[in-house]
Amino acid sequence: MTAELVRGQNHTLPQTRLEIRVSAGSPVVAGATLGDERGTVRGAEWIAHPASPRVPGLEVSRQAAADHRLAVDLDALPDAVHRVTVLLALPVGAGRPGSFGEVAAPFVAVTGLDGTEIATFTLTGLDTESAVSALELYRRQGVWKVRAVGQGYAAGLAEMLADQGVAGAAELAASIQDAVASGLARAVTPSPRAPEGERVSHSAGPASPAGGGGTGAPPAPMQPPAPPAPEPAHASQSLSDSTTPHAGTPGGPIDYAHPRRQTSAPPPPPPTAPPAAPGRPAQPVAGDATGWSMDERLYNQIWGMFEDLARAVAAYRSAVDFAASRMDQELDRTLSDPRSRIGGAGDRARAQARAKHDELTGRAREALDRDLAQLAAESAVVEPALPAAYAGWDNPVWHGYRVPMEIPMALRIGDVRLPEAADLRIPLLVRLPLERGIWVDSGRTASEAAAATSGDRLRRLAMETAVALAARLLAVYPTDEFSVHVIDPAGSAAGPLAPLARSGVLAGPPAAGAEGVSSVLAHLTRRVDLLQMAMRAGAADALPPDIDTGEHLLIVNDFPHGFDDRAVTQLRYLADEGPSVGVHLLMVADREDAHAYGPVLDPLWRSLLRITPVGDDHLADPWVGHAWTYEPSRAPQGSRVLEQVLALVAAARRADYR
């Protein structure tokens, strides 16, 4: 049975020798690019187009045509290829359509060599775009899948190639169009389509369907995160490029690249599990991703789980929306037909519409449950294998903790989840060294958890969240390479700060009062100034003896209490300039307490990654813009694991002083 895809949906490919058939209402140029594990096209030799129609494992048409058949042999692709992207573009020339909005929506089908359709995708919703990434074939855990992309480019073929990292994209696009213009094509016979009854609606994407009859689920453009910019002040915040998900430009090209990855290809994961049977998902294995080390492979595997969950839920939501839209349209047609008012015709039509709705949503839920079961199985093997930096406080790895010799790639600061899979939590990792400060919002948000918690309790939980983060940072850095300072103007956080204070890991007693605030800020501001001057002059050896090159974290509680205008200015300076020289900010604050400053502090809030002490759905992913519920990482109730880890850190520091 054929899987009808919509934008963002994926489907497992049962075989590796395929045809990709394109039908359009006007001649189009069809091509394909090969991408590595980061989605990057390494050179012109990885692009199949009319002027160079063959690459290993792939062949495209030499001409523009209304219909195309692309031959694909996934087993014959180079080992470094992890992604095949099918591209469509309108040929240029007088009298030709300038955008896909002027022609019928292109239809793309992935078929077996016998013509049996495996998956189809109708690229609706295009407007001013003259080039589009239609489909992706990609490899995940040893299994090839197809994903409906439908990402259009108003600037045409050159912009699309540049978005995939192709050097000289404009020149290559011009040469392709020249080759097309020199011999515009006869149309290839349109590919046959399966009978209507053989199709299965297998919807995906975050879109609101555009309506229309038939069984296919018409997609709509990808919805951006809400709001699209990383504004901590708003209800939703896009995850930044320092977190596991790489932020994309809302409504613009999707960036599938992993953040800050090596430019050369890392080795593939070791073959630790037998290959899966054709058409079946591989057995999950911890570290089943590319990377130079196990830490990097696990980091990238968590990235893959995050993206898979985002797209699986997007598929389900889109299918449910489409089913509801279809039912509404059918009910409207029934009510508008006078004949339905005679006898029981209207009741039968309404019953049929509701039955079809239930069938479509049931199929969507079955598909989602299969995806969730696979992700849950993967999570079950990945979580126990995580190193301390990536592990939750309840992971047994902490009971064998030893002070590390080098900093890890990333740090877990909590978990994220979606309501359709409340029990499936994805670790939220931030890269180290920290690239931006963190704000633990102690105010009352719109979440149910916050509404059910008193203000005093929220403030205490916020400080406990900050202490747990500071303890984790101290634990994953080598001895004496990370220092923690605390500003607690009113001394209201003595209870939550007790684990840090009793263990002796703080750089000094928590600063209280206006004088203490001024002293700590002056010390760290001087540090940032001197380090920046030394870096610009290339004279790191000329630093004063009291300035070390380690990382420093400043915890600020109850801001802006105890801060005068000068202290506020210094704090903003540390938030902006500190991360580049290893001075990081961890603020515990309620923005309402600082309302008197008005927009003056807006840049400060925007510069920080906002997290909450209780579950809150304020984070948006860069792929489909889901509102993810963030949950902080704190030690289990009654556990002393945090104190035990801090005691080991303090003991290691004392040993170094001797």
Side-chain angles (χ1 to χ4, degrees):
M1 299 177 76
T2 304
E4 291 191 342
L5 310 182
V6 296
R7 191 174 277 110
Q9 156 128 46
N10 59 55
H11 182 72
T12 300
L13 295 172
Q15 57 204 72
T16 57
R17 298 189 67 189
L18 308 163
E19 277 191 351
I20 298 175
R21 301 184 178 188
V22 179
S23 298
S26 174
V28 296
V29 180
T33 60
L34 308 182
D36 58 18
E37 72 285 346
R38 301 182 303 278
T40 301
V41 180
R42 296 188 179 178
E45 67 277 7
W46 275 23
I47 306 175
H49 53 83
S52 178
R54 291 188 182 91
V55 297
L58 183 65
E59 183 174 1
V60 304
S61 173
R62 295 177 178 271
Q63 56 198 14
D67 296 86
H68 292 269
R69 296 189 182 188
L70 286 64
V72 181
D73 184 351
L74 298 174
D75 290 334
L77 295 172
D79 292 339
V81 172
H82 288 250
R83 195 183 302 269
V84 178
T85 304
V86 177
L87 314 176
L88 304 178
L90 293 171
V92 298
R96 298 196 170 277
S99 69
F100 279 106
E102 302 173 30
V103 300
F107 172 85
V108 186
V110 180
T111 75
L113 297 183
D114 60 355
T116 302
E117 289 184 348
I118 299 169
T120 64
F121 176 36
T122 304
L123 283 78
T124 60
L126 298 176
D127 186 10
T128 60
E129 300 88 345
S130 59
V132 60
S133 295
L135 291 177
E136 286 180 344
L137 311 181
Y138 67 100
R139 187 164 50 195
R140 171 84 171 126
Q141 292 188 349
V143 176
W144 282 95
K145 297 183 180 183
V146 58
R147 175 185 292 138
V149 179
Q151 176 64 56
Y153 297 85
L157 189 57
E159 181 188 10
M160 181 165 55
L161 293 172
D163 187 50
Q164 296 194 33
V166 177
E171 294 79 4
L172 178 58
S175 69
I176 294 172
Q177 293 287 8
D178 289 344
V180 171
S182 65
L184 277 172
R186 305 175 302 277
V188 182
T189 304
S191 57
R193 302 199 183 185
E196 197 70 20
E198 295 182 10
R199 298 183 187 275
V200 177
S201 179
H202 199 43
S203 305
S208 300
T215 59
M222 178 172 290
Q223 299 291 334
E231 294 278 349
H234 292 180
S236 180
Q237 179 181 11
S238 295
L239 295 170
S240 75
D241 58 2
S242 62
T243 59
T244 302
H246 187 57
T249 302
I254 303 171
D255 183 4
Y256 292 110
H258 290 278
R260 298 176 59 194
R261 289 290 303 279
Q262 301 280 351
T263 54
S264 57
T272 54
R280 292 181 175 272
Q283 292 297 315
V285 176
D288 188 14
T290 56
W292 293 98
S293 64
M294 187 61 173
D295 279 10
E296 186 177 5
R297 291 198 294 271
L298 287 167
Y299 178 89
N300 291 329
Q301 187 171 14
I302 291 171
W303 163 287
M305 293 167 60
F306 187 91
E307 182 176 358
D308 282 356
L309 179 56
R311 296 195 183 280
V313 171
Y316 171 72
R317 291 181 181 178
S318 180
V320 171
D321 288 345
F322 170 69
S325 175
R326 175 191 170 120
M327 183 179 70
D328 290 343
Q329 291 171 8
E330 292 181 352
L331 291 176
D332 288 344
R333 286 195 296 268
T334 299
L335 294 173
S336 63
D337 186 354
R339 292 171 296 179
S340 66
R341 302 168 191 167
I342 303 174
D347 292 338
R348 288 193 297 272
R350 282 189 286 270
Q352 290 173 356
R354 293 190 179 97
K356 187 62 177 178
H357 169 271
D358 293 343
E359 178 189 356
L360 292 176
T361 55
R363 288 176 178 173
R365 186 70 218 191
E366 289 176 4
L368 176 63
D369 288 343
R370 287 195 298 269
D371 290 338
L372 294 182
Q374 183 177 348
L375 283 168
E378 187 172 6
S379 178
V381 299
V382 168
E383 280 285 356
L386 294 178
Y390 300 178
W393 285 111
D394 57 349
N395 193 307
V397 70
W398 287 106
H399 297 295
Y401 168 77
R402 295 291 182 272
V403 177
M405 301 298 293
E406 57 184 20
I407 68 170
M409 284 184 58
L411 183 82
R412 186 174 187 161
I413 64 169
D415 299 328
V416 290
R417 59 178 173 84
L418 292 172
E420 289 83 354
D423 294 333
L424 182 58
R425 288 164 168 76
I426 306 297
L428 179 61
L429 306 180
V430 294
R431 296 299 297 260
L432 293 180
L434 295 172
E435 297 176 355
R436 62 192 297 196
I438 297 175
W439 164 31
V440 185
D441 189 351
S442 60
R444 189 176 298 281
T445 63
S447 71
E448 293 182 6
T453 309
S454 68
D456 290 342
R457 177 65 176 161
L458 278 175
R459 285 188 286 273
R460 183 177 181 88
L461 289 175
M463 197 61 201
E464 289 176 355
T465 300
V467 168
L469 279 176
R472 187 179 285 267
L473 283 163
L474 285 163
V476 302
Y477 270 80
T479 306
D480 285 347
E481 288 192 19
F482 197 87
S483 301
V484 176
H485 311 261
V486 177
I487 289 178
D488 184 20
S492 59
L497 285 170
L500 295 175
R502 283 198 301 260
S503 63
V505 294
L506 293 178
E515 185 177 349
V517 171
S518 176
S519 174
V520 172
L521 292 176
H523 169 71
L524 292 177
T525 301
R526 172 177 173 268
R527 173 186 173 78
V528 172
D529 288 340
L530 291 175
L531 284 171
Q532 286 186 335
M533 287 188 291
M535 289 172 59
R536 286 193 292 265
D541 55 348
L543 288 169
D546 63 324
I547 301 295
D548 63 85
T549 56
E551 304 280 313
H552 287 247
L553 177 72
L554 173 61
I555 302 176
V556 177
N557 180 47
D558 211 14
F559 176 81
H561 181 78
F563 281 71
D564 56 20
D565 289 346
R566 185 170 188 274
V568 169
T569 301
Q570 289 176 316
L571 191 70
R572 289 183 54 189
Y573 175 73
L574 292 178
D576 293 338
E577 303 296 334
S580 64
V581 290
V583 176
H584 311 287
L585 189 60
L586 177 54
M587 279 185 54
V588 179
D590 179 357
R591 188 171 183 179
E592 286 300 313
D593 292 342
H595 72 277
Y597 287 92
V600 172
L601 290 182
D602 285 353
L604 173 64
W605 306 117
R606 284 197 297 266
S607 70
L608 304 173
L609 173 63
R610 175 177 172 256
I611 62 175
T612 52
V614 294
D616 188 87
D617 59 350
H618 67 283
L619 296 177
D621 69 74
W623 302 290
V624 291
H626 290 319
W628 291 77
T629 296
Y630 166 83
E631 293 183 343
S633 178
R634 288 196 296 268
Q637 188 71 27
S639 171
R640 296 192 56 80
V641 62
L642 190 145
E643 289 84 351
Q644 292 167 359
V645 168
L646 289 175
L648 292 172
V649 172
R653 294 188 172 196
R654 287 193 297 270
D656 279 359
Y657 291 149
R658 296 189 185 122

